[in-house]
Amino acid sequence: MEDSRIRLAGSAMLAVGVIVAGWLLSGGIRHFKDSERVVTVKGLAEREVKADRVIWPLSYKEVGNDMLALYNAMESANAKIVGFLKSNGIAESEISVAPAEIVDMQAERYVPEGVRYRYNVTGVVTVTTTNVEQVLKLMSRQSDLLKQGVAIASGDYRYTPRFIYTSDALNALKPAMIEEATRKARAAAKFAHDSNSELGKIKSASQGLFSISDRDDNTPSIKTIRVVTTVEYYLKD
């Protein structure tokens, strides 16, 4: 009789254990399935900003057969350009004068016929400044130099003005832009509600690279900054 009661109690405990184990296993499977239900979305943040630094090369050319005369002409041209810049708010520390680039046409392997002058000399005066607005104004006043006999050359890609948005300025923008991109990513996941699901916690998130480009070809001093954040959310019923 006693043995029967012991066997009955053991069987009952075993049955309870199987039920509990099944319930735990079922809950674990549901949780595992829930953890696999995810949605991946992207959020874009974009800003339009003004460049805060400019490198402006002013190049000009002189031609002739007399090196001494060319040297004197370049000294005069450099002085006129530097004077023009300094009189219009550019500091002397922001101006640099490069050594002349001299091409001896007689030393060239292929010389076009009818070349009149032996020497072709290029001079460059470069402005490097954070005073971008002032440089933009001076760019439209290059005719002032022409009146003094200095013709600023154009069309040489080596001497194209460079407008820069510095890393310090970008770092100041990054936190707000990342926050905006993440917020837009969450808004983009709204379709989860339309499928009778709710957004859960973030499973993973990755920030794309910040890109800086000219807004358009005509205004390189205005930049467009973009960053894309990719976020993966858990879904729950």
Side-chain angles (χ1 to χ4, degrees):
M1 186 71 174
E2 185 67 27
D3 291 342
S4 298
R5 285 200 296 271
I6 292 174
R7 285 196 296 273
L8 182 60
S11 297
M13 291 178 64
L14 178 61
V16 170
V18 170
I19 293 172
V20 171
W23 178 80
L24 290 174
L25 180 60
S26 174
I29 291 174
R30 283 201 302 272
H31 178 72
F32 174 75
K33 288 183 177 178
D34 286 345
S35 70
E36 291 304 306
R37 296 178 60 215
V38 296
V39 59
T40 302
V41 289
K42 295 181 182 292
L44 167 67
E46 190 173 78
R47 294 282 193 282
E48 214 172 76
V49 298
K50 292 182 178 180
D52 59 346
R53 187 177 181 83
V54 60
I55 301 174
W56 179 30
L58 294 92
S59 67
Y60 63 92
K61 293 185 179 294
E62 298 282 354
V63 294
N65 297 313
D66 186 332
M67 283 298 298
L68 179 58
L70 283 172
Y71 173 82
N72 291 332
M74 295 193 70
E75 285 286 292
S76 175
N78 287 341
K80 290 175 182 177
I81 294 173
V82 171
F84 167 74
L85 295 171
K86 291 172 66 175
S87 66
N88 286 283
I90 304 300
E92 186 171 356
S93 60
E94 297 173 327
I95 303 170
S96 61
V97 180
E101 180 184 282
I102 303 172
V103 176
D104 185 346
M105 301 304 292
Q106 290 187 5
E108 295 294 305
R109 177 175 297 181
Y110 302 105
V111 180
E113 293 184 5
V115 173
R116 182 178 177 184
Y117 298 107
R118 176 176 178 178
Y119 300 108
N120 188 324
V121 184
T122 302
V124 183
V125 177
T126 302
V127 176
T128 304
T129 182
T130 57
N131 196 352
V132 178
E133 290 300 323
Q134 185 63 15
V135 166
L136 289 171
K137 292 177 183 177
L138 293 181
M139 284 180 174
S140 64
R141 290 181 48 198
Q142 294 182 51
S143 59
D144 291 359
L145 287 169
L146 187 59
K147 294 175 184 177
Q148 300 181 54
V150 181
I152 301 300
S154 61
D156 191 328
Y157 72 93
R158 295 178 300 168
Y159 307 120
T160 301
R162 290 177 53 206
F163 292 91
I164 302 166
Y165 193 69
T166 59
S167 58
D168 288 343
L170 178 61
N171 288 336
L173 275 183
K174 279 183 177 181
M177 290 189 67
I178 293 172
E179 180 182 349
E180 179 186 343
T182 304
R183 187 171 64 251
K184 287 184 175 179
R186 188 172 184 86
K190 182 181 180 296
F191 68 85
H193 294 281
D194 300 333
S195 61
N196 297 320
S197 297
E198 293 183 2
L199 290 182
K201 295 180 179 179
I202 293 177
K203 180 181 180 182
S204 65
S206 62
Q207 172 203 313
L209 295 176
F210 278 81
S211 66
I212 303 176
S213 59
D214 295 344
R215 186 187 66 178
D216 56 72
D217 293 337
N218 299 317
T219 52
S221 62
I222 300 178
K223 305 295 183 182
T224 298
I225 302 176
R226 294 184 179 90
V227 65
V228 176
T229 297
T230 303
V231 185
E232 195 173 35
Y233 290 98
Y234 288 114
L235 289 179
K236 57 184 180 181
D237 293 330

